[in-house]
Amino acid sequence: MSVGRPLCGWRIPISGVIDSGDFDLMTERVLEAAVASNADARQAIRTAFRRYWTTLATELDANGDGVITIEEFRPFVLDPQRFGPTVTEFARALSALGDPDGDGLIERPLFLSLMTAIGFEEANIHALFDAFGPDATDRITVATWAAGIEDYYAPDLAGIPGDQLVGAPAV
């Protein structure tokens, strides 16, 4: 769904709606990229994706048909009161997957794999990683990425590293 910052970079399904299957697919793609992560970290991201979907379905699926339109989705993710705790859980779980060795640092290749699994463009992922200010060995901290994910969903923030994800891919 690559329609703007609040939409996580996912591709909009041909059906034009989001359903639980979209979250299941994204979960599996992320887990495939996180093969070195321990069982707790893998379960945490699975739980975070499930909560993400459950929160959306509970808040937005007024007619109970099991799908959410993009028009319903967009304003919800921009409401920190309704979506903030879900974003925090997701940010912690995703950033932890980037640190399977537990050293508090995320290397670019794994960051690239995880963000590609979510659906972002490679050039934009590299731009984001660079915006986070990697160290001399091309690593960022888990805390930096988690904070960056939370900032990405904050409707009043501009000029943040996450803006790199929706910019024109570098050529």
Side-chain angles (χ1 to χ4, degrees):
M1 296 174 230
S2 55
V3 179
R5 189 168 91 184
L7 301 178
C8 305
W10 306 329
R11 306 284 185 253
I12 296 175
I14 293 173
S15 65
V17 297
I18 303 165
D19 63 30
S20 65
D22 297 317
F23 281 82
D24 294 341
L25 178 60
M26 192 176 342
T27 301
E28 293 311 312
R29 287 179 178 165
V30 167
L31 290 172
E32 285 174 15
V35 294
S37 294
N38 67 38
D40 289 342
R42 294 171 63 79
Q43 185 57 45
I45 195 64
R46 194 178 289 283
T47 299
F49 271 122
R50 180 55 40 203
R51 179 176 180 188
Y52 202 133
W53 169 251
T54 300
T55 301
L56 289 177
T58 300
E59 293 285 336
L60 301 179
D61 189 12
N63 64 0
D65 66 354
V67 300
I68 298 166
T69 67
I70 206 70
E71 292 78 20
E72 292 170 319
F73 183 73
R74 186 172 284 123
F76 174 73
V77 297
L78 294 177
D79 184 348
Q81 298 292 348
R82 295 168 73 188
F83 197 58
T86 299
V87 168
T88 298
E89 179 182 359
F90 178 73
R92 289 178 183 160
L94 183 58
S95 60
L97 280 183
D99 182 24
D101 62 5
D103 66 356
L105 298 168
I106 299 168
E107 290 79 19
R108 187 183 297 259
L110 182 51
F111 182 86
L112 177 64
S113 294
L114 292 169
M115 294 296 283
T116 299
I118 291 173
F120 291 106
E121 298 292 328
E122 183 174 344
N124 294 2
I125 299 167
H126 284 293
L128 173 62
F129 195 86
D130 291 338
F132 283 145
D135 67 14
T137 58
D138 209 25
R139 301 174 302 176
I140 61 171
T141 67
V142 171
T144 296
W145 191 16
I149 293 168
E150 290 191 61
D151 287 351
Y152 183 80
Y153 285 97
D156 55 344
L157 295 182
I160 60 170
D163 292 342
Q164 302 301 315
L165 289 174
V166 295
V171 179

